Amino acid sequence: MKRIPEQGRDREQLIAEMEEFRQNDANYREAKTWSLVYFLGDDHTEFLKRCYGLYFSENALNPMAFSSLKRFESEVVSMTASMLHGDQQVVGTMTSGGTESCLLAVKTYRDRARKRWRIWTGKPEMIAPETVHVAFEKAAEYFDVKMVHARVDRNYQVDVKSVARLINRNTALIVASAPCYPFGVVDPIDQLSRLALKHRIPLHVDACLGGFLLPWVERLGYPVPPFDFRLPGVTSITADIHKYGFAAKGASVILYRNQDYLKHQFFIHTDWAGGIYASPALLGTRPGGAIAAAWAAMQALGEEGYLDLARTTMDTTRKLIDGIGSLPEIEVLGQPHMSVFAYRSRTPEVSIYAVGDQMERRGWHIDRQQKPESLHAMVTPGHARVVDRYLADLKESVATVKGSPNLYAEGQAAMYGMISKIPLRGLIKNNVLKMMLEMYGPQGSIPDLGRQAEKEDLATRLGRLFLRLRH
Ligand SMILES: Cc1ncc(COP(=O)(O)O)c(C=O)c1O
């Protein structure tokens, strides 16, 4: 078991050790990753670090103590609201990220429903597309709200008729994505807005991904379906600054059309021995650095900066999508509205997971999806300089897989293929649980440097567990 060292250790030595630990982490600096990191280069990162550092110790839990943080938060909320075409009545808070924002939306509407129904004690329900971000499944589980999935059409947009059929007296909210994470398409939010108004049900738009990109994509002249406060039925929007807002990690915004909604988000306790406690969001202590750096990122980039970044991102995305489209064996799924998309195989000869393995052998960090089996990409401006290499490697990878059709049964492709096809999802869940217990167990199986060579991902570990199970 590890113990805190008896004597403090040399700081420089520790930094050197940490540098060594990160050697085998995903390589985002050279744009090898297609998720997780939104990196604009060293200049911007150093600037964010300075701004974060200025507020490193400050705590936004108490806005009276650090009024400058409250000012940043108010201005971030207000700038985001105006970017998303909200009026003076739009209010909101910052949160630590997309998941916290989505959790809060569900909690808010659950509490609002409970208050309004009073005598009716049914379980609140949320209607959301099958493609909605998994944070909403988490919210349903955490807050005991029933998740009701609406079907999506061939373009992975929610089927509005399916939503309409699912509405009942327990419906506390409808959720739509702008865009959804798996396929990058925006739901038909204008139609949902009409439906929501007709039934007087709140409509939440998860624009965690698109909130800080779609407004600029629209200004550049791309066709962007309406998704923001211009639609009268939209009652709240979540948008992440730590994604396409290019802020430090730990920054998102949740906006409501007016305070009648926001009031259900707050937590107030008046009888605690420690005093009267009021908290606007999920966290208690709120890191001041993330709030300050988010404000600074928005100020430093400005509309012009965001427009330029959106232009590069969309040019790169087009190049990628066209390149993928030129390969007859694979295809992009649906018609993505921004810089996030997935592609799959068009022929049984080519396993897309085997293509993923081949891409990883060529140094790319690849995200696999299921339903349908596909590879995923989230494009950032940094990818502009690697797009040709990526497409060349993809062409080669597809050819390799086509030439060796058995590759689907090897490496991670075999594991992912098996896991996506097993109908007993409960079995998979139990095994993931086992894996997590192992990872977070007493010995905490974080791979040390000696074991990095056998770099394992979720599928490989799951595969091992299945093999064990079969014996
Ligand atoms: C559409 C959407 N919503 C919510 C989230 C959750 O955001 P976070 O990872 O910051 O918690 C994501 C993350 O990718 C997302 O794409």
Side-chain angles (χ1 to χ4, degrees), residues 97-100 102 133 135 179-181 206 208-209 240 242-243:
T99 300
E100 187 187 345
C102 298
H133 193 269
C180 68
Y181 172 90
D206 175 13
C208 282
L209 258 184
D240 290 357
H242 68 195
K243 294 194 171 77

Side-chain angles (χ1 to χ4, degrees), residues 35-36 38 95-102 131-136 138 176-182 206-210 238 240-243 249-252 340 376 378:
S35 64
L36 302 171
Y38 297 74
T95 72
S96 63
T99 300
E100 187 187 345
S101 291
C102 298
T131 50
V132 79
H133 193 269
V134 69
F136 289 90
K138 196 178 199 178
S177 315
C180 68
Y181 172 90
D206 175 13
C208 282
L209 258 184
T238 40
D240 290 357
I241 326 173
H242 68 195
K243 294 194 171 77
K249 291 232 174 342
S252 171
V340 178
H376 189 257
M378 197 141 66

Side-chain angles (χ1 to χ4, degrees), residues 152-158 180 183 185-186 333-337:
V152 295
D153 63 17
R154 288 173 55 197
N155 191 32
Y156 303 97
Q157 289 176 297
V158 77
C180 68
F183 309 106
V185 300
V186 176
L333 289 161
Q335 289 176 339
H337 289 113

